[in-house]
Amino acid sequence: MPRQHNTGYYTFLAIFLLTIFSIGNWIERHHTLPLLLAYSSAFLGYIFLQLKNENSNLLLGTGILIRVLLFLSLPSLSDDLYRFIWDGTLLKNGIHPFSELPGYYLNQNIPGLDQELFNKLNSQNYFTIYPPLNQFIFWLSITVTDSDWLVSANIIRLFLFAADFGSFYFLKKLLIHYKKPQKLAFWYWLNPLIILEFTGNLHFEGLVIFFLLAGIYFYEKNKNWLSATGLGLAIGTKLLPLIYLPFLFLKGLSEKKWIISIMAGIMGLATLLPLLNETFIQAMSQSLDLYFRSFEFNASIYFIAREVGYCIYGYNNIALIGPTLSIISFLSILSISAIAYFKKWSIPKSFLFVLTVYLLFATTVHPWYILPLIAFGLLSGYWYPIVWSFLIFLTYDGYTKNGFELPMYIVVVEYLVVMIVILLELRFHSND
């Protein structure tokens, strides 16, 4: 009987490894049916391995192995890498990456910036949006290679691989602090979406999570400067973590740690200094304006508001709806932060609901945007981020060989199920 049990365990382990390897190295994102079948199988294996959790060292090694196997190929589900290479090449040639749109450089005879790379950009008509901390990694990935895209990708992967391992380390430390089982950290370490979007597709939320968890850990250990540094670097990697500062400031007032939120904000903004000039400010402002007024993907409340807008205006009035929702989102984040402070929520629980509110009001919610929720959820006892990490992958169904068109029924199913799970969990935790 034990032999049969072990056979089943290793069967699911093999399924988990093979399906993620296939997605990362063979299956293209417009091959919808094999992609979704492979991901569903990987997720089934992931759940089975977590529920059995027979050997923690084996699970740790499995997470390392599958990430290493993703180093064999270029990202399969994202083309953001090519903008990273483009920006890094500009820096290598002493050119400010925010100076001009990509097309400007095509006839400038700049080594590495050719038509082939330009054709792979998904943002040919937009200024770059990546802060200086990211740009440094892009530059580093270019300086050690001679136009080898895979080598550049793998240099970036090394940073994200290290960040993932660091997140796993701090997650285990924080689980001990919050009196929760350390084995919960494997729900993060082996989550298929985390593996594919960070090590696989090179999205920098992986670094953000690492810095945030480090910041939270050092906050709880009363190491104020280290906490502020972690939180500040999270802001420097992606400006979004600024949304967590209102709660940290309120919490800090009662614990005499309010200086942490101030220092974190200052450190985050200080990371912008290497590229800060009038060109940077203008280009970043234009990019943010486009984000709120033009881009839309996998939204919830925004899509409802858009339909109402069609009835009123007869067209998609995102230029009005987007900024309006951003203001409502900002006020909601302040309200959640105040509620979290008065109800004495833990930092992870507060961050969990602050980010959830932000995502519900956002006009664009890519799969990798939700991944910090998994870490916060594990630390605060909420499981809807795990459910969401399966459902949001279904949005890859929208990719075709020549473009993208996401079926609305997928969005409806995704958010309906997620909201039901959130409401059930809120009821379960009502006495917390």
PDB file of all heavy atoms in Angstrom, residues 13 34 109 130 252 409 426:
ATOM      1  N   LEU A  13       4.258  14.452  -9.164  1.00  0.00           N
ATOM      2  CA  LEU A  13       5.485  15.250  -9.215  1.00  0.00           C
ATOM      3  C   LEU A  13       5.990  15.344 -10.652  1.00  0.00           C
ATOM      4  O   LEU A  13       6.382  16.422 -11.125  1.00  0.00           O
ATOM      5  CB  LEU A  13       6.542  14.619  -8.312  1.00  0.00           C
ATOM      6  CG  LEU A  13       7.880  15.361  -8.210  1.00  0.00           C
ATOM      7  CD1 LEU A  13       7.699  16.726  -7.574  1.00  0.00           C
ATOM      8  CD2 LEU A  13       8.872  14.531  -7.391  1.00  0.00           C
ATOM      9  N   PRO A  34      -3.671  23.334 -25.727  1.00  0.00           N
ATOM     10  CA  PRO A  34      -2.574  22.663 -25.013  1.00  0.00           C
ATOM     11  C   PRO A  34      -2.035  23.489 -23.851  1.00  0.00           C
ATOM     12  O   PRO A  34      -1.615  22.938 -22.828  1.00  0.00           O
ATOM     13  CB  PRO A  34      -1.507  22.451 -26.098  1.00  0.00           C
ATOM     14  CG  PRO A  34      -1.898  23.304 -27.239  1.00  0.00           C
ATOM     15  CD  PRO A  34      -3.362  23.513 -27.156  1.00  0.00           C
ATOM     16  N   ASN A 109      22.073  53.685 -36.494  1.00  0.00           N
ATOM     17  CA  ASN A 109      23.222  52.770 -36.540  1.00  0.00           C
ATOM     18  C   ASN A 109      23.775  52.444 -35.154  1.00  0.00           C
ATOM     19  O   ASN A 109      24.995  52.415 -34.932  1.00  0.00           O
ATOM     20  CB  ASN A 109      24.341  53.375 -37.407  1.00  0.00           C
ATOM     21  CG  ASN A 109      23.919  53.525 -38.857  1.00  0.00           C
ATOM     22  OD1 ASN A 109      23.248  52.658 -39.414  1.00  0.00           O
ATOM     23  ND2 ASN A 109      24.290  54.646 -39.466  1.00  0.00           N
ATOM     24  N   TYR A 130       9.935  51.438 -17.209  1.00  0.00           N
ATOM     25  CA  TYR A 130      10.691  50.739 -16.173  1.00  0.00           C
ATOM     26  C   TYR A 130      11.631  51.684 -15.433  1.00  0.00           C
ATOM     27  O   TYR A 130      12.437  52.387 -16.052  1.00  0.00           O
ATOM     28  CB  TYR A 130      11.464  49.581 -16.790  1.00  0.00           C
ATOM     29  CG  TYR A 130      10.551  48.615 -17.509  1.00  0.00           C
ATOM     30  CD1 TYR A 130      10.483  48.587 -18.904  1.00  0.00           C
ATOM     31  CD2 TYR A 130       9.721  47.767 -16.794  1.00  0.00           C
ATOM     32  CE1 TYR A 130       9.625  47.722 -19.568  1.00  0.00           C
ATOM     33  CE2 TYR A 130       8.861  46.896 -17.445  1.00  0.00           C
ATOM     34  CZ  TYR A 130       8.813  46.887 -18.825  1.00  0.00           C
ATOM     35  OH  TYR A 130       7.948  46.040 -19.487  1.00  0.00           O
ATOM     36  N   GLY A 252       2.560  52.854  12.322  1.00  0.00           N
ATOM     37  CA  GLY A 252       3.784  53.361  12.925  1.00  0.00           C
ATOM     38  C   GLY A 252       3.554  54.434  13.967  1.00  0.00           C
ATOM     39  O   GLY A 252       4.358  54.600  14.884  1.00  0.00           O
ATOM     40  N   TYR A 409     -16.643  36.043 -21.348  1.00  0.00           N
ATOM     41  CA  TYR A 409     -17.139  35.036 -20.401  1.00  0.00           C
ATOM     42  C   TYR A 409     -16.032  34.560 -19.472  1.00  0.00           C
ATOM     43  O   TYR A 409     -16.284  34.174 -18.311  1.00  0.00           O
ATOM     44  CB  TYR A 409     -17.773  33.852 -21.147  1.00  0.00           C
ATOM     45  CG  TYR A 409     -16.820  32.924 -21.837  1.00  0.00           C
ATOM     46  CD1 TYR A 409     -16.218  31.858 -21.162  1.00  0.00           C
ATOM     47  CD2 TYR A 409     -16.492  33.103 -23.188  1.00  0.00           C
ATOM     48  CE1 TYR A 409     -15.336  31.003 -21.799  1.00  0.00           C
ATOM     49  CE2 TYR A 409     -15.604  32.243 -23.832  1.00  0.00           C
ATOM     50  CZ  TYR A 409     -15.040  31.195 -23.133  1.00  0.00           C
ATOM     51  OH  TYR A 409     -14.156  30.348 -23.765  1.00  0.00           O
ATOM     52  N   LEU A 426     -14.235  36.004   4.006  1.00  0.00           N
ATOM     53  CA  LEU A 426     -14.516  37.123   4.910  1.00  0.00           C
ATOM     54  C   LEU A 426     -15.501  36.697   5.998  1.00  0.00           C
ATOM     55  O   LEU A 426     -15.366  37.095   7.169  1.00  0.00           O
ATOM     56  CB  LEU A 426     -15.067  38.303   4.117  1.00  0.00           C
ATOM     57  CG  LEU A 426     -14.058  39.083   3.268  1.00  0.00           C
ATOM     58  CD1 LEU A 426     -14.765  40.134   2.433  1.00  0.00           C
ATOM     59  CD2 LEU A 426     -13.001  39.746   4.151  1.00  0.00           C
TER      60      LEU A 426
END
